[in-house]
Amino acid sequence: MPPPPSDATRPGRLAREGLLPDPGAAATLVDEIASGPVETVRVLFADQHGVLRGKTVTAGALASVFRSGLSVPGSLLLKDTSNRTVFPIWDGRPEGAMATMAGAGDMLLVPDPATFRILPWSPHSAWIFCDPCTRDGQPLPFAARPVLRRAIERLARHDLALTVGLEVEFHVFERVSEGLSHAETGMPGRPPETRLLDQGYQYLSETNYDRLEPVMDLLRRHAQALGLPVRSTEVEMGPSQFEFTFEPADPMTHADNMTMFRTMVKEVCAREGLHATFMCRPNVENTASSGWHLHQSLSDASGANLFMPTEGDSLPPLAGAWIAGLLEHAGESCLLTTPTVNGYKRYRPFALAPDRIEWGHDNRGAMIRALMVPGDSASRIENRVAEPAANPYFYFASQILSGVSGIERGLAAPAPVENPYTAEARALPPSLIAAIEAFEAGTLFRDMLGSEFTDYMSVLKRAEWKRYLSTVTEWEQREYFGLF
């Protein structure tokens, strides 16, 4: 007789309604866990900020999650970066997707078995990522993974696929104080006190790398154990600043990878008495800003790189249209590529970061750096606009939809720049509120993702900006307290 069916294959709501991505993989996974070391599974979703949230279930309960999903409060999608709920949930029942959030009601998490990872730093526990949806199984128009999936599907209509490569900068400091007194809590709590692991401004220094190698190796080994395709580990420009780069992959894979990487780095460092931050420009002395550079190329059904120029053709027409779309929509995309107040303090001239909307050939001062050589199958562009705190799903979606717009409208790239900090080009938004206004004035995301997404992002980020404006800064105290 054949063995009895796994609990994951028994009739369940997710399978009946076609919500579970791969029921066969789910059943196999449940059977493997039954005889393995895993005791608990962290059932998670990437929220609006790209931060993982969810519940932990016992290994034996995972089968029921595959059958019926997991309910969590829908208000988790309504919180700003301080964890405050910034949408009305007690004012009756709103219409559309927001209805599932009314009264702090539940939404449903649908697990993706392909994202299951045993945690190398906690091998009795594992991660699995989910897509949030409404209680009746409908997609949420502002949930991160579904938004990226819609963008990928839009590109696929043109028989095109995007390949992305990641360069991620971040800081790792030693914790001096945990900040765990009652007076230090809040929304948000007081950040920990830290000190450097190493002196800096020794870009790619071998001796600095050797001093940092124990932490570099710790993070690299855990990343590789998660299946992340690490390519290099580097000493970045500033004190205690790291950079990891990753081999190319498709957008959804790398969005998941980036989410895993950031979470792993923070969790592993915390266990070692360290503090890792992907904040763009930490408020510590002599710091350097961190960026997130995204390499991009398009391929056709055969896998051929369509950004590789022919002899005498420095910019293939498809690449030109893609670049033109990225440039045209850069301002309104900044809310998704640079979503924090802090990120705009990186946009400075002569700092290896862009401050205006332009492209150039192998020019690290331009927003888009084109790396295209005839015969080079790795030909690509590098967008240097984003901060490492960006939600990877929204970031990648912004690139795909901007590029698709350039292709669908037959746009051509303007002339490249050689002097990016003196060229006459549109400036990037100088602040979060400028980015919010550019996002609201634009039409790209409203046309391609709908008003529920754009209205949601506007409310979310305006709440963050209003809280920032209400805070008295150290600059104001120094400027006015003694003078007036």
Side-chain angles (χ1 to χ4, degrees):
M1 295 179 60
S6 163
D7 281 347
T9 63
R10 298 183 191 280
R13 175 190 174 185
L14 299 189
R16 287 197 307 270
E17 297 181 11
L19 297 175
L20 190 63
D22 190 340
T28 300
L29 184 55
V30 168
D31 290 340
E32 290 175 352
I33 289 175
S35 58
V38 174
E39 300 173 18
T40 58
V41 180
R42 306 177 192 184
V43 183
L44 306 168
F45 73 99
D47 75 359
Q48 55 277 20
H49 310 294
V51 174
L52 289 177
R53 297 179 185 268
K55 297 180 180 180
T56 298
V57 302
T58 61
L62 184 61
S64 69
V65 176
F66 282 131
R67 287 197 305 273
S68 304
L70 183 69
S71 293
V72 297
S75 57
L76 291 173
L77 284 175
L78 307 181
K79 297 183 182 297
D80 69 2
T81 47
S82 74
N83 282 295
R84 288 175 169 84
T85 299
V86 297
F87 293 79
I89 59 173
W90 308 110
D91 296 345
R93 183 162 296 276
E95 297 181 354
M98 294 299 293
T100 199
M101 318 297 186
D106 281 343
M107 61 183 179
L108 187 69
L109 299 185
V110 177
D112 181 351
T115 64
F116 180 85
R117 299 288 192 281
I118 296 176
L119 306 185
W121 63 95
S122 183
H124 73 283
S125 192
W127 281 340
I128 193 165
F129 286 6
C130 301
D131 286 2
C133 60
T134 63
R135 288 186 293 268
D136 59 359
Q138 298 304 307
L140 283 166
F142 35 76
R145 290 183 98 230
V147 163
L148 176 55
R149 190 173 293 110
R150 290 167 63 191
I152 293 169
E153 291 169 353
R154 179 75 177 239
L155 180 61
R157 295 178 200 169
H158 299 273
D159 297 319
L160 297 171
L162 179 67
T163 298
V164 295
L166 313 184
E167 292 183 17
V168 186
E169 298 168 0
F170 58 100
H171 290 85
V172 180
F173 302 115
E174 180 184 345
R175 283 181 179 257
V176 176
S177 168
E178 294 293 331
L180 294 179
S181 72
H182 291 292
E184 292 174 298
T185 191
M187 299 179 71
R190 187 178 301 171
E193 295 180 23
T194 60
R195 70 174 188 174
L196 298 175
L197 296 183
D198 189 36
Q199 287 283 352
Y201 297 101
Q202 297 288 329
Y203 182 46
L204 298 182
S205 162
E206 162 60 16
T207 53
N208 285 57
Y209 181 88
D210 190 67
R211 287 195 291 269
L212 292 172
E213 187 177 50
V215 179
M216 292 276 192
D217 284 348
L218 178 71
L219 299 179
R220 173 185 54 79
R221 288 168 181 152
H222 284 315
Q224 290 174 317
L226 285 172
L228 308 185
V230 177
R231 185 176 186 274
S232 69
T233 61
E234 303 170 13
V235 174
E236 248 303 324
M237 180 69 74
S240 261
Q241 191 176 35
F242 291 45
E243 179 177 87
F244 273 53
T245 73
F246 297 84
E247 298 288 355
D250 67 274
M252 186 63 76
T253 294
H254 257 340
D256 288 343
N257 287 346
M258 180 62 172
T259 305
M260 291 183 190
F261 178 71
R262 286 194 309 209
T263 309
M264 177 276 292
V265 168
K266 293 187 72 68
E267 292 184 3
V268 168
C269 284
R271 288 178 177 233
E272 298 295 321
L274 306 173
H275 178 70
T277 181
F278 292 81
M279 177 182 180
C280 179
R281 190 172 181 82
N283 187 22
V284 296
E285 290 184 83
N286 299 315
T287 194
S289 297
S290 292
W292 176 9
H293 307 151
L294 186 67
H295 295 253
Q296 308 174 35
S297 62
L298 291 177
S299 59
D300 59 18
S302 71
N305 184 350
L306 302 177
F307 280 10
M308 183 174 67
T310 59
E311 291 295 338
D313 179 15
S314 62
L315 189 64
L318 190 70
W322 189 266
I323 290 172
L326 294 181
L327 295 177
E328 175 156 321
H329 300 293
E332 63 186 296
S333 296
C334 261
L335 193 62
L336 307 182
T337 65
T338 312
T340 73
V341 168
N342 181 255
Y344 293 86
K345 294 171 183 178
R346 171 175 164 262
Y347 292 166
R348 302 177 171 196
F350 312 110
L352 293 176
D355 71 340
R356 50 200 88 187
I357 300 169
E358 57 200 359
W359 77 281
H361 290 290
D362 197 6
N363 193 317
R364 284 184 167 86
M367 188 188 93
I368 294 177
R369 175 184 175 219
L371 298 163
M372 302 178 187
V373 178
D376 182 2
S377 61
S379 292
R380 63 201 185 277
I381 64 166
E382 174 193 49
N383 195 339
R384 300 171 64 83
V385 74
E387 64 171 319
N391 182 322
Y393 306 94
F394 292 163
Y395 178 18
F396 295 176
S398 77
Q399 302 301 281
I400 293 171
L401 297 178
S402 296
V404 164
S405 173
I407 291 171
E408 291 179 347
R409 296 163 57 202
L411 300 182
V417 299
E418 295 181 2
N419 299 303
Y421 298 121
T422 59
E424 293 185 4
R426 284 186 298 142
L428 285 163
S431 64
L432 180 60
I433 188 58
I436 293 169
E437 290 169 348
F439 179 82
E440 292 171 342
T443 60
L444 176 71
F445 299 108
R446 190 172 297 275
D447 290 345
M448 292 196 177
L449 294 176
S451 59
E452 284 186 300
F453 173 78
T454 54
D455 293 347
Y456 167 85
M457 290 300 301
S458 177
V459 170
L460 185 70
K461 302 312 289 187
R462 278 189 175 274
E464 189 174 331
W465 178 254
K466 288 176 182 177
R467 279 197 307 106
Y468 170 70
L469 286 183
S470 70
T471 302
V472 178
T473 65
E474 181 60 29
W475 185 93
E476 293 168 88
Q477 188 75 359
R478 284 178 177 269
E479 192 79 5
Y480 307 127
F481 191 61
L483 178 63
F484 296 112

